[in-house]
Amino acid sequence: MAEVLHVLKGATMPYGPKGRYRSAIAAKKPVSGPVTVTRNGITGDEQGNKVRHGGTEQALHQYPFEHYATWCAERPELAPHFSVPGAFGENISSTGMTEATVCVGDIYRCGTALLQVSRTRHPCWKLNVRFGDPRMSRRVQDSGRFGWYYRVLEEGAIAAGNPFVLDERPNPDWPISRLLHALFHDPLNYALLEQLAALPQLSYMSKNHVLKRLATRTLEDWTERMETPPDA
């Protein structure tokens, strides 16, 4: 059964070797009891960059706890980071769901909230700092172990132990794993991009990337997103 293992939230703090940025990625901690989920996410949860994180299209980030064992096996030197949930700054640590079984636009009842899968994560340099590995954002992108984001269709409360009950699956041909392939591993496959552009449930942020690629026939520069800035 797919269920919530932990619900996590955290406040922003100075981030990076020089502390010139702010982030809550290293501050997400499990909370006890039900938490209120609004259109903008968990009450009391924060994001350092409101342009690229948070908001209604990225209200909650879910990450499968099953991936932690795989990361430990691949990168044993990073095992201390995977001793408890929250290593990737996720809001929901779950069991029984992965990128292969969750589809774009899926609607789930969880607790009293109704959630819809809106997009995948786009790994950024903050993962490099989080794990002390300058290639961690690239490793996550290559791995296919991203997690996914929800928009909140009905506000409510969620808690550890709540099951995920699938209410609707409008795009069974578009699991998150296929979305990842189209966005990151075959990014100029125009036939796939045209199919993505036609998905009404896909976040406008992801759709903007798709439409720009179709319009320009070029891939956007990933350097700023993935490489730790020198002033960090």
Side-chain angles (χ1 to χ4, degrees):
M1 182 177 67
E3 67 176 16
V4 178
L5 182 64
H6 290 289
V7 181
L8 306 97
K9 67 178 183 178
T12 62
M13 61 179 65
Y15 198 71
K18 300 176 183 177
R20 294 182 178 175
Y21 291 78
R22 294 193 68 83
S23 177
I25 189 172
K28 307 294 186 185
K29 305 296 181 186
V31 295
S32 60
V35 297
T36 300
V37 175
T38 73
R39 302 281 177 176
N40 287 303
I42 295 171
T43 299
D45 190 48
E46 296 181 357
Q47 300 83 35
N49 185 331
K50 294 292 187 178
V51 175
R52 297 186 178 180
H53 302 281
T56 57
E57 294 293 277
Q58 301 179 130
L60 298 167
H61 177 233
Q62 182 170 336
Y63 197 83
F65 189 67
E66 291 91 332
H67 291 339
Y68 277 45
T70 306
W71 282 113
C72 284
E74 290 181 357
R75 312 295 302 178
E77 73 278 11
L78 300 179
H81 290 282
F82 303 117
S83 60
V84 294
F88 291 92
E90 62 265 36
N91 298 116
I92 298 174
S93 177
S94 64
T95 58
M97 303 167 75
T98 69
E99 292 82 356
T101 63
V102 171
C103 297
V104 177
D106 277 2
I107 297 176
Y108 294 95
R109 178 69 66 180
C110 185
T112 59
L114 193 66
L115 313 176
Q116 184 174 47
V117 177
S118 58
R119 71 181 310 221
T120 185
R121 183 183 199 147
H122 286 228
C124 74
W125 64 266
K126 290 180 180 178
L127 291 170
N128 302 340
V129 175
R130 175 79 172 106
F131 291 93
D133 179 348
R135 288 188 51 79
M136 192 63 184
S137 61
R138 174 66 65 177
R139 297 187 201 283
V140 172
Q141 184 161 298
D142 291 345
S143 75
R145 300 188 292 270
F146 286 49
W148 53 90
Y149 283 105
Y150 292 108
R151 60 174 66 92
V152 178
L153 301 181
E154 293 179 11
E155 298 181 347
I158 60 176
N162 286 161
F164 286 91
V165 180
L166 182 64
D167 184 75
E168 185 178 344
R169 174 161 285 171
N171 304 303
D173 294 333
W174 276 99
I176 295 297
S177 56
R178 189 181 183 206
L179 173 64
L180 298 177
H181 176 79
L183 288 178
F184 300 106
H185 301 297
D186 194 9
L188 292 178
N189 184 323
Y190 303 122
L192 281 179
L193 293 176
E194 288 172 355
Q195 291 179 50
L196 273 179
L199 296 181
Q201 300 84 5
L202 183 65
S203 161
Y204 71 87
M205 292 173 284
S206 293
K207 194 165 292 189
N208 283 345
H209 287 296
V210 170
L211 294 175
K212 286 178 182 178
R213 292 179 193 178
L214 287 170
T216 65
R217 289 310 202 245
T218 59
L219 180 63
E220 68 274 10
D221 187 354
W222 292 344
T223 303
E224 182 180 355
R225 171 170 62 85
M226 301 187 72
E227 293 187 7
T228 307
D231 66 344

